[in-house]
Amino acid sequence: MPMLSRFAFLSSRRLLVGAALAAASGLAVAQAISVEPPRDVLQLSASGSVEVQQDLLVLTLATTREGSDAASVQKELRQALDAALQQARADAAPEQMEVRTGDFGLHPRYDKEGAITGWQGRAELVLSGRDFGRITGTAGRIRTLAISRVAFDLSRQARQRVEGQAEAEAIAAFKARAEALARGFGFSGYSLREVSVNSNESSPGPRPRVMAMQAKGAAYEMDAPVPVEAGKSQVMVTISGSVQLR
């Protein structure tokens, strides 16, 4: 390679290396500037809650069967469940009483040596809805299953109705707290940077009593509706976020 061309090549290479170093240095400076934490930013949260009467009853009926033959146990469970379904479907009504099957399963029983000695199975039927009288009356007329669990909840409509109230309370509390904290730190006010909204439901106080009455071989006699009384749930909305003090 001629001397002049070699000199030009080396000079060009030095220029490229220098430009790369300068670009890397500029990028590092830019990154250092971009990661600098914001100043005068306050993190806070506030909540609003509304207590509402539970309007949804979930009643579970169940039966168990035992035997030495798995097929026979399964057949008995299916017959008991089919009879209960026939009665429940006749009384079903949209939103007032929905009918669905619950758990249905068989499990082996073992002796001390690990050999299977028999089979035990369980079948469930779940009645749920807002017409408590219809649900408990239907449960009282079913002969092949007995009440296993009683629980209460909020319907989707009731939850949506009160969530707006709880959200309004949470927003007002968030704004009031942000204003008070800004003035407490010597600022005249604030501007909102980011915010997140979360809602949940809880049942304060003692939980509803769980009823456990299982029908095994014979049907459980129960003609009268089961007495039930719903409690209250608390719908809570929490607002969390950050504000810029100014």
Side-chain angles (χ1 to χ4, degrees):
M1 179 184 295
M3 184 64 67
L4 184 59
S5 299
R6 184 178 181 185
F7 175 77
F9 171 76
L10 292 175
S11 298
S12 300
R13 185 176 181 182
R14 292 193 189 96
L15 288 173
L16 289 173
V17 172
L21 290 174
S25 176
L27 180 62
V29 172
Q31 288 177 340
I33 294 174
S34 64
V35 298
E36 182 179 349
R39 296 172 57 86
D40 303 330
V41 174
L42 182 65
Q43 302 281 344
L44 70 153
S45 64
S47 299
S49 63
V50 176
E51 194 173 65
V52 61
Q53 185 74 32
Q54 294 168 328
D55 66 338
L56 187 68
L57 171 63
V58 182
L59 192 151
T60 303
L61 299 101
T63 187
T64 59
R65 294 288 191 274
E66 296 180 3
S68 57
D69 179 62
S72 299
V73 173
Q74 181 172 294
K75 181 179 179 181
E76 290 181 15
L77 288 174
R78 185 182 294 111
Q79 289 174 343
L81 185 58
D82 285 344
L85 274 170
Q86 183 176 0
Q87 175 67 62
R89 285 169 178 162
D91 298 336
E95 296 187 359
Q96 303 307 306
M97 190 184 84
E98 306 283 351
V99 179
R100 63 179 175 86
T101 56
D103 292 340
F104 187 105
L106 287 157
H107 306 282
R109 291 182 301 169
Y110 300 93
D111 59 18
K112 294 181 179 180
E113 285 72 34
I116 295 177
T117 60
W119 294 84
Q120 183 176 25
R122 177 182 173 89
E124 291 183 348
L125 179 67
V126 181
L127 311 179
S128 63
R130 293 185 290 179
D131 190 338
F132 290 12
R134 180 188 295 265
I135 293 171
T136 57
T138 300
R141 290 189 292 274
I142 291 176
R143 293 290 187 267
T144 56
L145 305 180
I147 293 177
S148 174
R149 289 190 302 274
V150 176
F152 299 95
D153 200 353
L154 277 183
S155 65
R156 178 174 53 86
Q157 295 88 337
R159 185 180 292 105
Q160 289 177 343
R161 186 171 62 249
V162 298
E163 268 185 354
Q165 302 174 31
E167 188 175 280
E169 286 187 9
I171 291 173
F174 185 94
K175 293 167 65 176
R177 190 178 182 198
E179 185 70 29
L181 288 172
R183 296 189 181 280
F185 283 110
F187 293 85
S188 61
Y190 69 93
S191 60
L192 190 64
R193 286 175 57 89
E194 59 181 21
V195 67
S196 64
V197 180
N198 297 289
S199 63
N200 60 70
E201 175 193 338
S202 62
S203 300
R207 296 179 63 85
R209 182 168 60 92
V210 176
M211 306 179 69
M213 298 180 287
Q214 296 197 6
K216 292 189 178 181
Y220 186 86
E221 296 294 333
M222 182 176 60
D223 294 318
V226 182
V228 295
E229 184 176 354
K232 292 185 177 181
S233 288
Q234 192 174 58
V235 176
M236 178 177 292
V237 174
T238 301
I239 295 182
S240 304
S242 61
V243 297
Q244 179 72 54
L245 303 177
R246 51 180 174 78

